[in-house]
Amino acid sequence: HIQLLIGLGWYFMSPWYKSMKAVGMGETMSNAALRFQAIEHPIMMLLAIVFITVGWSRHKKQTTDRGKFKKIALFYGLGLVLILSRIPWYQWFN
């Protein structure tokens, strides 16, 4: 959850957020790079945090080790897929 707070702080202080406010929501949605940074990335990261938190909560309610590891693997795996799908890889490999 600390990562969420850091991410939200950076989001509202970032140049992407300021440019989104300057150009308006219509232009933000029509520009793929701006939409990715301003909309898609934050929403997917929030969903990933929700999946990981739900997985942690559900695993504690399981009575067997197999059930516990199954819940953690499922929810943490979904969270990881969401995180990896919305990391801006193109910024690192160009």
Side-chain angles (χ1 to χ4, degrees):
H1 295 108
I2 292 171
Q3 182 70 35
L4 170 66
L5 295 176
I6 292 169
L8 286 174
W10 169 245
Y11 178 76
F12 289 111
M13 293 184 295
S14 72
W16 291 100
Y17 182 73
K18 292 174 184 168
S19 65
M20 180 182 70
K21 283 176 55 176
V23 299
M25 193 54 92
E27 179 65 30
T28 299
M29 293 309 239
S30 64
N31 182 340
L34 190 57
R35 182 181 65 236
F36 178 82
Q37 290 290 340
I39 307 296
E40 294 173 6
H41 177 79
I43 289 174
M44 285 301 157
M45 296 304 124
L46 285 171
L47 285 174
I49 290 170
V50 167
F51 276 121
I52 291 168
T53 303
V54 167
W56 181 255
S57 296
R58 290 214 177 156
H59 110 277
K60 292 189 290 186
K61 296 177 184 173
Q62 297 294 314
T63 56
T64 64
D65 287 340
R66 182 176 174 89
K68 287 180 184 234
F69 290 125
K70 196 177 204 181
K71 291 291 181 189
I72 282 190
L74 174 68
F75 284 99
Y76 278 43
L78 287 172
L80 180 63
V81 167
L82 289 176
I83 289 169
L84 292 176
S85 74
R86 291 297 163 220
I87 290 178
W89 299 107
Y90 63 88
Q91 291 179 349
W92 295 344
F93 296 118
N94 280 338

